[in-house]
Amino acid sequence: MTQNPNLQKLSEAGVSVWLDDLSRDRIESGNLAELIASKSIVGVTTNPSIFQAALSKGHVYDAQVRELAERGADVEATIRTVTTDDVRAACDVLAPQFEASHGVDGRVSIEVDPRLAHDADKTVAQAVELWKIVDRPNLFIKIPATEAGIPAIAKVLGEGISVNVTLIFSVERYELVMGAYLDGLEAAKAAGHDLSRIHSVASFFVSRVDTEIDKRLDKIGTPDALALRGKAGLANARLAYAAYQQVFEVQPRFQGLLETGARPQRALWASTGVKNPAYPDTLYVADLVAPNTVNTMPEKTLDAFADHGEVSGDTVSGTAVASQEIFDQLTAVGIDLPDVFKVLEDEGVDKFEVSWNELLEATAEQLRAAGQKS
């Protein structure tokens, strides 16, 4: 099976192509392996919404849920078993990509309970627990970049555990995330961990920024405001990449760790599905091409890029000045950027909590039904 040429070009430009979806059916049917072979997929991300969708469709989980019900498993134990089994299986499917990339790719992410987003100690405890349960070196534990998440990220990394930091919306918060990564590496080094085995990505959300800011620009309604629609998400991500370059390519703190085997914490572009149909459906892929980055795409976006995506070289490096000008213009027309980022973070945590609660309710119903049949 040959690789899709558009996605292959994206990979050759330094962008690791990851799939923002996972289900047992995708694993067992061979679909995930097919995407690896034909569409350059070298990683998978999950979140509570993805698991909620997977468990609510079809009957692929029925037998396992019935078995767990017979054993007396409660709702949370059932969800933990089902989701960690899926992630472990996906880790095994991606093991060749993990080995071939020396641990950079071939990664699968699982998120801590979103209800713990504001509790650092419980986040750390669950991250350690998930790491032990899945028991695969190519796992990423996803931790949200809330205020409580920042110290949790450092502690988990310090335990030698690889982390995908999620729900990053602002460059200011991203700088704290990179600081936490370096704190974690230094703690891991002091504890005797092999830094070359500790990896991390920082998931910077893109389309949601445009959705929120465009809504505010429409409300302002002036020509200057309307002319800025669809520009904030890319500008924000490009400013984040400039911050990444400063920390991992220029500043001496990481260079010292690099000498002992540390890897840079790659920027990952998340929320790359286009929400506004007026924008090109490959916007958040084609315009965010840069070396040593990850783009995790929903399948619809992956298929769109495979069909008509174009790679025109690095579209990020050297754009910081122009991107800052976009932000200055947004402020000038009345956009309160700190408020935008706070709203987005709060909404992000809330959405995952809602999905998690729906997952709890659906699983409870499945357990009741399984108990009645037995």
Side-chain angles (χ1 to χ4, degrees):
M1 190 174 294
T2 58
Q3 293 288 358
N4 174 273
N6 295 340
L7 291 164
Q8 188 171 7
K9 287 177 185 175
L10 189 63
S11 298
E12 290 168 353
V15 180
S16 291
V17 181
W18 290 8
L19 178 69
D20 192 26
D21 190 53
L22 183 65
S23 67
R24 186 161 299 177
D25 182 63
R26 194 183 284 282
I27 298 167
E28 293 183 347
S29 68
N31 173 260
L32 178 57
E34 181 182 333
L35 291 175
I36 293 168
S38 65
K39 291 186 176 174
S40 297
I41 292 297
V42 291
V44 170
T45 49
T46 68
N47 60 46
S49 300
I50 287 170
F51 279 131
Q52 190 274 332
L55 269 74
S56 66
K57 295 175 184 175
H59 301 283
V60 71
Y61 296 96
D62 289 358
Q64 185 175 25
V65 171
R66 191 159 51 248
E67 179 188 339
L68 290 165
E70 290 171 356
R71 283 198 254 151
D74 63 16
V75 175
E76 298 208 7
T78 298
I79 291 172
R80 184 166 57 249
T81 299
V82 168
T83 56
T84 54
D85 280 0
D86 278 4
V87 167
R88 186 183 306 108
C91 282
D92 290 344
V93 174
L94 282 154
Q97 286 66 42
F98 177 73
E99 295 295 334
S101 65
H102 303 287
V104 174
D105 284 312
R107 296 277 175 173
V108 185
S109 300
I110 188 170
E111 190 152 351
V112 296
D113 185 332
R115 297 171 298 177
L116 306 180
H118 303 296
D119 189 320
D121 291 339
K122 288 183 179 178
T123 293
V124 173
Q126 190 174 92
V128 172
E129 179 187 30
L130 289 170
W131 182 258
K132 290 178 179 177
I133 292 172
V134 175
D135 192 27
R136 292 295 185 272
N138 51 333
L139 179 69
F140 268 142
I141 304 296
K142 288 181 83 172
I143 299 175
T146 57
E147 289 184 6
I150 298 298
I153 291 159
K155 288 182 181 178
V156 172
L157 288 161
E159 295 289 333
I161 295 172
S162 296
V163 175
N164 175 343
V165 184
T166 188
L167 290 178
I168 307 173
F169 295 98
S170 71
V171 175
E172 290 76 16
R173 184 59 58 86
Y174 178 43
E175 288 171 341
L176 294 178
V177 167
M178 290 187 286
Y181 177 62
L182 297 177
D183 289 344
L185 287 182
E186 288 165 352
K189 180 181 177 182
H193 292 290
D194 179 356
L195 297 192
S196 69
R197 298 174 65 86
I198 303 171
H199 288 247
S200 183
V201 292
S203 297
F204 208 84
F205 282 53
V206 187
S207 68
R208 292 191 197 181
V209 173
D210 273 338
T211 299
E212 179 64 26
I213 289 181
D214 283 2
K215 179 175 65 177
R216 299 185 185 207
L217 291 169
D218 285 337
K219 189 173 181 180
I220 293 168
T222 64
D224 285 348
L226 297 178
L228 290 167
R229 288 178 298 185
K231 296 183 178 180
L234 290 175
N236 198 34
R238 288 166 170 172
L239 287 169
Y241 189 73
Y244 157 85
Q245 289 178 304
Q246 277 295 312
V247 170
F248 294 109
E249 297 176 9
V250 178
Q251 293 178 7
R253 185 180 178 192
F254 177 70
Q255 298 308 310
L257 292 165
L258 187 64
E259 294 170 2
T260 58
R263 308 292 186 96
Q265 180 189 51
R266 291 187 296 171
L268 178 151
W269 312 130
S271 181
T272 56
V274 172
K275 308 291 194 297
N276 188 335
Y279 301 154
D281 55 3
T282 61
L283 177 68
Y284 303 122
V285 182
D287 285 21
L288 288 176
V289 176
N292 211 29
T293 58
V294 180
N295 196 308
T296 183
M297 309 177 207
E299 192 164 20
K300 184 178 179 181
T301 304
L302 180 74
D303 289 344
F305 201 88
D307 180 65
H308 53 266
E310 296 181 0
V311 178
S312 56
D314 186 339
T315 53
V316 178
S317 299
T319 63
V321 172
S323 298
Q324 185 58 52
E325 288 175 357
I326 296 292
F327 265 42
D328 292 343
Q329 292 167 22
L330 288 166
T331 301
V333 299
I335 298 297
D336 183 345
L337 290 168
D339 182 68
V340 166
F341 297 134
K342 182 181 186 307
V343 166
L344 287 170
E345 180 181 306
D346 291 346
E347 284 183 354
V349 173
D350 289 346
K351 285 177 182 176
F352 284 166
E353 281 191 19
V354 167
S355 294
W356 194 260
N357 287 329
E358 290 174 350
L359 179 58
L360 289 169
E361 292 168 9
T363 305
E365 180 56 38
Q366 287 177 306
L367 285 170
R368 282 193 292 270
Q372 291 169 0
K373 290 178 182 177
S374 60

